[in-house]
Amino acid sequence: MPYRAPVSDFQFLLDHVVGFDEVAGTELFAEATPDMTNAILTEAAKMCEDILAPLNHIGDKHPAHLENGVVRTPPGFADGYRAIADGGWIGMSARAENGGLGLPMTLTTTVNEMMSSACLALQLNPLMSQGQIEALEHHASDAIKSVYLPKLISGEWCGTMNLTEPQAGSDVGALRTKAEPNGDGSFAITGQKIYISWADNDFTDNVCHLVLARLPDGKPGTKGISLFMVPKIIPDADGNLGQPNDLRVVSLEHKMGLHGSPTAVMEYSGATGWLVGPEHGGMAAMFTMMNNARLGVGTQGIGVAERALQHALAYAQDRKQGRAEGTGAIIEHADVRRMLTTMRADIYAARAISLMNAVAIDMATATHDDTWTARAAFLTPITKAFGTDIGVEATNTGVQIHGGMGFIEETGAAQFVRDVRVSTIYEGTNGIQAMDLVARKLMDGGDAAFRLLDDIVRGAEAAKATHPDLANAVWEAAETLRETTEWLVNQQDLNDRFAGAVPYLRAFARVLGGHAHLASAVAGDAGHLRLATFYIKRMLPEHAALLAHTREGAADLAAITAEDLVAA
Ligand SMILES: Cc1cc2nc3c(=O)[nH]c(=O)nc-3n(C[C@H](O)[C@H](O)[C@H](O)COP(=O)(O)OP(=O)(O)OC[C@H]3O[C@@H](n4cnc5c(N)ncnc54)[C@H](O)[C@@H]3O)c2cc1C
């Protein structure tokens, strides 16, 4: 089933919903004209449809594997990667002085979504490089920047992130990998990392590992962690490759999905590394990469959901079953139409949120205005968790629409479920994202949240004249959300926030989705209005139940014992 990139959806959202004109109006991003934007969307769509999309099924059937210590990638992945690199898509938002195109993150987000739809397993590779490029731009020494950035941006080399260890998953501060000074400015890195995505491949000349490790005087916990660049092959100061480093892929995981992407156990045996950022300041540096990847992973969820929708829609228009009106195909049944429309409306909402997030990042970069920085930070966990939750839900619904055929692998619907499942887990589980939202992201007393709600309320008030029913529903939802946000800010015991963090994040996403759909109804055609009406009348009301859940606090949950959870 071919993939069709949703170019007009992106164009409409950029033009009418997420405020991209403000980004293009800045001096920094003045090149992002409508012509340039259109050219990017069209060119990326072509690559994704023609080159990457056919690789998705191949990657599932021919997993990446280890052959005498060398990672072998699925047939065609090397060519797909080359197309991504040669198109300049890896370094789209990298700074021009290092060979990047210096384009807004908003445009990178549209391209990343299309690549995720086309072939998630392969797209994870350039996504890791993009995050590493941003981390190096902000935190690396000039010497590291000059050797690594041009090669990462061109795609000759690729990047990975190494946080996880067997005893240090969500709790990164528990890591044990050691870094000892070699006395020449470099460090010897020793330890084991697990679940490392794209830890090796057979199509780039080098693999650059960003590794979190602890120096001898590093305190326990996250405050004692430093970040190191540890290349697979050690380059000289001009980037010429020299000796292999003391590191190896021990094994690759057998996974539920995402088979085309090698996920490795890595062993570092005194490997040579160089500090990125200050000693003991590794978490701050790694957070640059993680925030980039969190937006990217949210976008992955949306991308796979989009592909699943296209698949399910084609099946629903073809499959005849029961006494259906019109064409006689199952799309005519009310429940099938409900499933398809739910997928479409959720994907649209999540896509809009990811682009609002990217716009905030671009505005922060272009203006250095702290309110944009705070907005980007607030939206990041929402994009990550909601985008990937929608990925899981929509792909599951896609299987349901196929009936029994959805459970049969040859249809392809099941692969989407298997591939996207990990996206709610990696880059910080969605539970951890929600905890971040209600704790760190409300440390400003709710300022960023309240400013966002003010914008939503303003949008609803402006829409009241033309779309009173829809506008009132969004206005009321925003005010209910404001009350719960105030309640959360007032909870001193963080457990009272954490107990309802996941429903709160979901409610916030629901309301942001209502805001985006309302703006589309106002600016768009009859189709936009019908989709907005479905979302606002049937899906937005979910926020009320979610917020009631949030305000219950932690006491009743804490009172439930492990024995209560097991039937007697
Ligand atoms: C395919 C794949 C690719 C990956 N790629 C990479 C990579 O490239 N680099 C890398 O470094 N890592 C990678 N990871 C690791 C990934 O980021 C971790 O799996 C993830 O952070 C969760 O850690 P964990 O698996 O140890 O789960 P745990 O931390 O053990 O979590 C188990 C459960 O407990 C919950 N939990 C844990 N702590 C808390 C808490 N304090 N409060 C509330 N709930 C909590 C979690 O939300 C989760 O539901 C990858 C993982 C997979 C499966």
Side-chain angles (χ1 to χ4, degrees):
M1 155 86 210
Y3 161 66
R4 289 277 319 279
V7 170
S8 40
D9 241 28
F10 285 127
Q11 194 76 67
F12 183 84
L13 285 166
L14 296 179
D15 290 347
H16 302 289
V17 178
V18 302
F20 185 63
D21 53 338
E22 223 177 326
V23 174
T26 63
E27 204 184 323
L28 184 67
F29 296 123
E31 276 185 28
T33 58
D35 282 352
M36 160 74 98
T37 301
N38 187 265
I40 283 171
L41 291 174
T42 314
E43 277 307 304
K46 213 158 128 239
M47 174 189 66
C48 292
E49 290 169 355
D50 299 344
I51 300 174
L52 302 188
L55 298 175
N56 201 42
H57 187 60
I58 297 173
D60 193 46
K61 287 281 151 234
H62 304 277
H65 60 283
L66 205 54
E67 213 174 80
N68 301 323
V70 177
V71 169
R72 298 287 173 212
T73 59
F77 269 38
D79 294 337
Y81 178 81
R82 195 41 52 209
I84 297 169
D86 291 350
W89 305 115
I90 299 172
M92 273 182 78
S93 290
R95 290 179 192 161
E97 69 252 30
N98 301 310
L101 297 178
L103 288 166
M105 182 56 80
T106 312
L107 296 182
T108 296
T109 300
T110 63
V111 177
N112 282 354
E113 192 204 300
M114 290 187 257
M115 292 199 289
S116 305
S117 294
C119 187
L120 186 72
L122 177 57
Q123 186 267 348
L124 184 56
N125 180 312
L127 183 68
M128 294 290 97
S129 294
Q130 286 173 353
Q132 185 169 116
I133 289 165
E134 194 180 336
L136 296 184
E137 282 178 344
H138 283 89
H139 304 285
S141 65
D142 287 346
I144 290 185
K145 280 185 195 164
S146 70
V147 172
Y148 290 87
L149 282 174
K151 305 274 191 195
L152 287 164
I153 289 168
S154 69
E156 286 164 80
W157 301 354
C158 69
T160 72
M161 60 196 294
N162 287 238
L163 293 85
T164 310
E165 298 178 12
Q167 77 296 343
S170 302
D171 184 8
V172 179
L175 68 80
R176 294 190 192 131
T177 296
K178 289 188 300 185
E180 284 168 302
N182 286 329
D184 60 358
S186 70
F187 294 82
I189 311 295
T190 305
Q192 193 187 66
K193 295 285 178 181
I194 61 169
Y195 300 146
I196 304 309
S197 296
W198 282 103
D200 200 5
N201 68 71
D202 50 8
F203 50 70
T204 62
D205 298 340
N206 205 359
V207 183
C208 310
H209 303 288
L210 269 188
V211 182
L212 285 178
R214 206 180 299 279
L215 286 161
D217 60 343
K219 290 189 204 131
T222 49
K223 293 209 169 87
I225 295 176
S226 307
L227 183 64
F228 299 88
M229 167 59 77
V230 189
K232 173 181 159 187
I233 302 176
I234 300 175
D236 67 16
D238 296 322
N240 302 308
L241 294 177
Q243 293 301 311
N245 211 340
D246 292 318
L247 57 88
R248 71 182 179 107
V249 173
V250 177
S251 58
L252 296 187
E253 304 294 351
H254 295 278
K255 309 194 292 291
M256 170 180 175
L258 213 62
H259 294 151
S261 159
T263 307
V265 174
M266 290 294 291
E267 191 171 280
Y268 294 88
S269 315
T272 307
W274 288 267
L275 195 61
V276 174
E279 290 188 1
H280 317 307
M283 280 312 287
M286 189 53 117
F287 255 110
T288 306
M289 179 159 185
M290 282 157 65
N291 281 330
N292 181 303
R294 284 174 178 181
L295 168 61
V297 170
T299 304
Q300 289 188 327
I302 304 162
V304 184
E306 171 66 39
R307 185 103 186 247
L309 169 60
Q310 295 186 15
H311 220 78
L313 181 58
Y315 187 79
Q317 287 173 301
D318 185 53
R319 169 78 174 157
K320 301 215 166 27
Q321 197 67 192
R323 223 178 290 149
E325 302 287 314
T327 61
I330 59 169
I331 190 174
E332 308 293 350
H333 294 306
D335 188 52
V336 174
R337 201 162 278 233
R338 174 194 63 78
M339 289 191 275
L340 287 163
T341 313
T342 299
M343 290 169 84
R344 171 84 174 114
D346 260 342
I347 291 166
Y348 193 82
R351 180 175 289 145
I353 292 169
S354 72
L355 294 177
M356 285 178 213
N357 194 160
V359 162
I361 291 170
D362 288 330
M363 290 305 294
T365 309
T367 65
H368 305 289
D369 179 339
D370 289 347
T371 52
W372 281 116
T373 308
R375 175 162 297 190
F378 188 82
L379 285 173
T380 298
I382 300 179
T383 302
K384 195 280 177 178
F386 188 62
T388 57
D389 280 346
I390 293 312
V392 169
E393 290 166 26
T395 53
N396 263 306
T397 307
V399 167
Q400 194 70 18
I401 290 168
H402 283 79
M405 281 307 286
F407 200 67
I408 307 301
E409 284 289 349
E410 70 192 53
T411 325
Q415 188 193 340
F416 303 133
V417 177
R418 291 187 287 99
D419 281 358
V420 85
R421 187 63 188 85
V422 71
S423 66
T424 68
I425 297 168
Y426 63 23
E427 250 344 290
T429 64
N430 286 2
I432 298 290
Q433 301 300 322
M435 288 163 67
D436 174 48
L437 184 72
V438 299
R440 272 162 48 106
K441 303 296 163 65
L442 290 183
M443 262 164 41
D444 59 359
D447 190 54
F450 296 135
R451 282 174 192 271
L452 204 45
L453 288 169
D454 290 345
D455 281 1
I456 296 172
V457 164
R458 262 195 296 278
E461 277 167 357
K464 272 184 185 168
T466 52
H467 300 78
D469 284 3
L470 302 185
N472 281 328
V474 173
W475 189 92
E476 276 170 27
E479 289 305 333
T480 314
L481 181 55
R482 189 191 299 278
E483 283 164 25
T484 303
T485 306
E486 282 162 0
W487 181 88
L488 276 173
V489 169
N490 287 327
Q491 302 313 304
Q492 302 309 319
D493 182 346
L494 277 183
N495 281 322
D496 284 321
R497 299 190 191 187
F498 291 154
V502 166
Y504 175 74
L505 183 150
R506 173 96 177 183
F508 218 115
R510 273 276 164 260
V511 175
L512 282 165
H515 173 58
H517 273 290
L518 180 60
S520 298
V522 170
D525 58 18
H528 287 105
L529 177 60
R530 285 193 290 269
L531 196 65
T533 304
F534 178 90
Y535 181 94
I536 292 172
K537 296 225 160 153
R538 295 175 194 244
M539 298 169 78
L540 178 62
E542 189 193 18
H543 79 278
L546 291 164
L547 293 176
H549 187 158
T550 305
R551 287 192 302 271
E552 279 303 311
D556 59 341
L557 261 184
I560 295 172
T561 64
E563 291 72 40
D564 291 338
L565 299 176
V566 181

